[in-house]
């Protein structure tokens, strides 16, 4: 039976309200960068992550890495660092620091990942394929909710999250005056209008 993360991991990826929980250690393919996410450079990085993720998915489906396993590829995620809190209004996108990633099944190893990099690059010729890293990332205690609508309207949802944190006496993490948040993109902006886009928004808690 095909593994569907939307059904099996609703508590992680489909919050219906503002909530706090603890996110365990997961494996990801990741790329980092700096600048505006509307750039062609950023789009190429996203493409590289998906190309690698689908290459690994096919190997698992065919049973080339052990028992055959079919699953839906996980959504794109981004950890964003900014000079002001996203709940305080629009961010300067040109100054953003980011780490984008796609989660991988627990059974995959770094060796499995490294084995697909070179043949996948030769086939697709996306330069960022060779820059991608296989990482493990434990987010820990977080607060999250689902934002419905355009990315540029996220500030209002973040503001509601701040109200929740104040009521519950919770505090998000900052690093030397820099604000960090995570976004999980449940909708493909190429296929759905902005008003119907769904994005999970997270703050990591102290």
């Amino acid at each position: 039976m095909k593994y569907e993360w939307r059904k099996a991991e609703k508590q992680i990826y489909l919050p219906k309200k503002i909530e706090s929980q603890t996110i365990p250690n997961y494996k990801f393919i990741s790329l980092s960068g700096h600048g505006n996410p509307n750039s062609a450079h950023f789009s190429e990085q996203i493409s590289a992550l998906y190309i690698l993720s689908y290459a690994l998915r096919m190997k698992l489906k065919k049973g080339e890495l052990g028992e055959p396993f079919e699953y839906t590829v996980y959504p794109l995620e981004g950890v964003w660092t900014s000079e002001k809190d996203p709940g305080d209004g629009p961010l300067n996108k040109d100054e953003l620091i980011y780490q984008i990633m796609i989660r991988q099944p627990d059974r995959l190893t770094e060796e499995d990942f490294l084995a697909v990099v070179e043949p996948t690059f030769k086939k697709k010729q996306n330069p960022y394929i060779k820059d991608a890293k296989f990482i493990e990332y434990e987010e820990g205690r977080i607060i999250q909710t689902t934002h419905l609508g355009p990315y540029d309207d996220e500030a209002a949802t973040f503001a509601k999250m701040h109200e929740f944190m104040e009521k519950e006496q919770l505090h998000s993490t900052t690093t030397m005056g820099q604000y960090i948040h995570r976004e999980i993109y449940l909708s493909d902006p190429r296929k759905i209008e902005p008003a119907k886009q769904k994005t999970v928004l997270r703050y990591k808690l102290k």
Side-chain angles (χ1 to χ4, degrees):
M1 181 179 293
K2 186 176 183 179
Y3 183 83
E4 299 277 3
W5 55 266
R6 285 181 179 269
K7 296 179 180 179
E9 301 181 75
K10 290 181 179 180
Q11 75 282 5
I12 300 294
Y13 294 104
L14 301 171
K16 294 182 178 180
K17 59 182 180 178
I18 299 175
E19 61 182 23
S20 62
Q21 63 169 289
T22 300
I23 307 299
N25 185 77
Y26 292 134
K27 297 176 179 179
F28 294 88
I29 297 175
S30 174
L31 283 164
S32 298
H34 174 277
N36 196 314
N38 295 315
S39 67
H41 160 84
F42 187 74
S43 295
E44 283 291 290
Q45 287 184 310
I46 292 176
S47 179
L49 293 180
Y50 274 111
I51 289 169
L52 287 165
S53 295
Y54 277 102
L56 286 166
R57 176 182 177 274
M58 185 57 65
K59 283 189 170 293
L60 284 171
K61 182 179 180 180
K62 291 181 177 179
E64 296 178 8
L65 300 173
E67 186 73 18
F69 176 54
E70 187 173 3
Y71 62 99
T72 299
V73 169
Y74 282 93
L76 178 71
E77 306 187 28
V79 177
W80 300 91
T81 302
S82 54
E83 293 184 353
K84 75 173 186 177
D85 191 283
D88 293 334
L91 301 175
N92 183 345
K93 294 181 180 181
D94 293 331
E95 297 300 323
L96 289 171
I97 299 170
Y98 60 83
Q99 181 180 17
I100 52 174
M101 59 188 79
I102 295 177
R103 185 180 157 193
Q104 303 301 308
D106 291 340
R107 64 191 287 179
L108 285 176
T109 67
E110 184 172 16
E111 288 71 25
D112 295 331
F113 164 73
L114 292 174
V116 304
V117 170
E118 190 61 33
T120 302
F121 171 74
K122 288 181 179 179
K123 184 177 181 180
K124 298 295 186 178
Q125 295 295 307
N126 181 315
Y128 297 107
I129 288 174
K130 289 191 173 184
D131 293 336
K133 307 295 183 183
F134 189 86
I135 67 169
E136 294 195 25
Y137 192 106
E138 184 171 353
E139 198 165 3
R141 192 163 175 244
I142 58 97
I143 177 177
Q144 68 174 2
T145 194
T146 300
H147 169 74
L148 177 63
Y151 302 135
D152 288 342
D153 292 347
E154 289 177 352
T157 302
F158 277 116
K160 292 178 181 178
M161 295 170 71
H162 275 287
E163 292 175 4
F164 179 89
M165 286 190 291
E166 184 175 354
K167 180 180 178 181
E168 300 295 325
Q169 297 184 329
L170 302 172
H171 303 279
S172 61
T173 58
T174 59
T175 304
M176 298 180 65
Q178 292 184 316
Y179 296 88
I180 301 172
H181 73 278
R182 178 183 286 263
E183 301 185 5
I184 303 175
Y185 306 101
L186 303 180
S187 305
D188 186 339
R190 299 169 302 177
K191 300 178 181 179
I192 190 169
E193 59 184 279
K196 295 182 179 180
Q197 289 177 178
K198 290 183 178 180
T199 309
V200 176
L201 304 181
R202 286 182 183 166
Y203 281 123
K204 182 176 174 63
L205 298 175
K206 294 180 181 179

